[in-house]
Amino acid sequence: MITLLYTIKKPFLPLKRDFFSFFLLLRFLCEKKVVYLHVEERPSSSFCAMSEKTYDKTERKIQRLFSRACAEYRLLEDGDRVLVAVSGGKDSLELLRLMSRQGKIHKPRITVEAAHVIMDNIPYETDRSFLQWFCDDLDITVRLLHTSFDDTASAEGGVTRHRRKTKCFLCSWYRRKALFEYARDHGFTKVAFGHHQDDFLVTMLMNMTFEGSLHSISPMMPMRHYPFKVIRPLCLVPESLIATVAKTLCFERQKTLCPFEKASRREDMTQVFRTLEGMNPEARYSMWRALEKVSTTSDEEEDV
């Protein structure tokens, strides 16, 4: 008899919800004559506290909002090659799960890949082993892209000035540039970001407060200098729903957080948005209706 060691790192919830899959796993182990099985569960205190009924309800609601956004804003077309930007955070991981399911649907027929951009000169880190496992589990290819920037660049010889730009702006700009160039060079027709509804509304509040303009990011943005479109299929999904799924399925957090993530006004404006929701639980829906009545164009991607 051959002694084999199998390690299971997936959350237990899918096995509990699907007894047939659990039976197939047991039969496979018996056929392989496995005499020792090690089960390693990623720690999550919220997993035990959440009922399967609550989880199923949340999953169905996210799927419904995702499908509605794709239909209303015509985000996906037959033959699309979609590159999903995966930072390793809960939003991009949930988007990848949804896009993986969408890729198995006959119409529209799409293909999906993932890309993770590594900023070499900023000391934050995503658990790449978990990211690779996550993509392998979904049968999606993930590409690791490297980039960096020099925040002391000058205007000598026509070089773009960087001295007045914050590290957050430069990091975001160069990450998008690396992603867009990869998408262009490999023939993708869509680049998908994991911005949820809260991101849209907080961006609108920031633009109103600091720029004096009423606009936000868009569910779909045609690019000026690239032959593809940027899409945001989670535009109708509240962040709280994604957080619920992320806790239940034990999404891994970043190994090292960005040291500059508190340096922008976005966190402050997020608290303002939470205060508005406390005053009126329907505030997000009123704000979204207002946003739909105005142009949602932004120069966020146009200058990349």
Side-chain angles (χ1 to χ4, degrees), residues 213-224:
S213 60
L214 184 58
H215 70 265
S216 183
I217 50 181
S218 174
M220 183 166 68
M221 170 72 72
M223 302 299 294
R224 283 187 178 180

Side-chain angles (χ1 to χ4, degrees), residues 48-301:
C48 298
M50 175 168 294
S51 67
E52 295 179 20
K53 183 178 180 180
T54 302
Y55 169 78
D56 288 340
K57 182 179 179 181
T58 303
E59 276 278 75
R60 287 196 301 270
K61 187 170 184 179
I62 291 177
Q63 182 65 59
R64 184 171 66 251
L65 293 171
F66 169 84
S67 300
R68 176 184 161 192
C70 290
E72 283 190 9
Y73 302 107
R74 299 180 180 179
L75 302 183
L76 298 173
E77 300 172 297
D78 199 40
D80 269 342
R81 296 190 64 225
V82 184
L83 182 65
V84 181
V86 181
S87 65
K90 67 183 188 310
D91 308 322
S92 60
L93 293 178
E94 178 62 10
L95 174 61
L96 195 59
R97 293 179 68 235
L98 294 165
M99 293 300 297
S100 173
R101 294 176 195 166
Q102 189 69 30
K104 296 177 175 63
I105 296 176
H106 183 65
K107 286 287 184 178
R109 174 66 67 183
I110 66 172
T111 57
V112 181
E113 282 190 30
H116 174 68
V117 181
I118 301 167
M119 185 60 67
D120 293 328
N121 63 315
I122 298 294
Y124 74 91
E125 183 182 0
T126 297
D127 188 339
R128 298 175 201 170
S129 61
F130 170 76
L131 185 60
Q132 185 66 59
W133 169 84
F134 193 90
C135 292
D136 289 345
D137 190 58
L138 297 175
D139 196 25
I140 289 179
T141 301
V142 59
R143 306 295 183 185
L144 300 181
L145 312 177
H146 288 262
T147 188
S148 62
F149 63 88
D150 179 10
D151 59 347
T152 63
S154 67
E156 296 295 331
V159 178
T160 303
R161 295 193 67 158
H162 286 169
R163 294 182 183 277
R164 296 182 181 180
K165 303 296 185 181
T166 65
K167 284 185 171 60
C168 290
F169 174 86
L170 293 173
C171 179
S172 176
W173 195 91
Y174 277 92
R175 283 161 61 90
R176 290 201 308 272
K177 182 179 180 181
L179 189 71
F180 291 169
E181 289 180 347
Y182 178 83
R184 177 198 60 198
D185 295 343
H186 292 81
F188 289 94
T189 58
K190 301 284 173 62
V191 174
F193 287 110
H195 297 103
H196 45 67
Q197 190 178 59
D198 297 46
D199 290 324
F200 280 71
L201 300 178
V202 170
T203 299
M204 181 181 71
L205 289 174
M206 290 183 67
N207 289 332
M208 290 173 57
T209 305
F210 297 105
E211 294 185 9
S213 60
L214 184 58
H215 70 265
S216 183
I217 50 181
S218 174
M220 183 166 68
M221 170 72 72
M223 302 299 294
R224 283 187 178 180
H225 307 297
Y226 296 94
F228 54 78
K229 298 176 181 178
V230 167
I231 60 174
R232 297 178 172 93
L234 299 181
C235 59
L236 300 179
V237 182
E239 182 182 18
S240 59
L241 296 181
I242 300 174
T244 297
V245 171
K247 290 180 181 179
T248 307
L249 297 184
C250 310
F251 287 177
E252 293 284 353
R253 295 178 178 270
Q254 285 183 318
K255 293 175 68 174
T256 306
L257 297 178
C258 175
F260 305 107
E261 65 178 355
K262 301 296 183 181
S264 72
R265 291 290 185 181
R266 180 167 290 274
E267 185 65 29
D268 295 335
M269 200 54 65
T270 299
Q271 295 305 316
V272 172
F273 176 60
R274 298 286 176 254
T275 300
L276 292 174
E277 282 198 300
M279 297 170 59
N280 175 19
E282 301 296 317
R284 73 167 53 243
Y285 305 110
S286 299
M287 294 171 64
W288 186 260
R289 287 194 298 270
L291 186 58
E292 286 186 322
K293 295 177 182 178
V294 299
S295 173
T296 56
T297 60
S298 169
D299 60 357
E300 176 192 27
E301 292 91 9

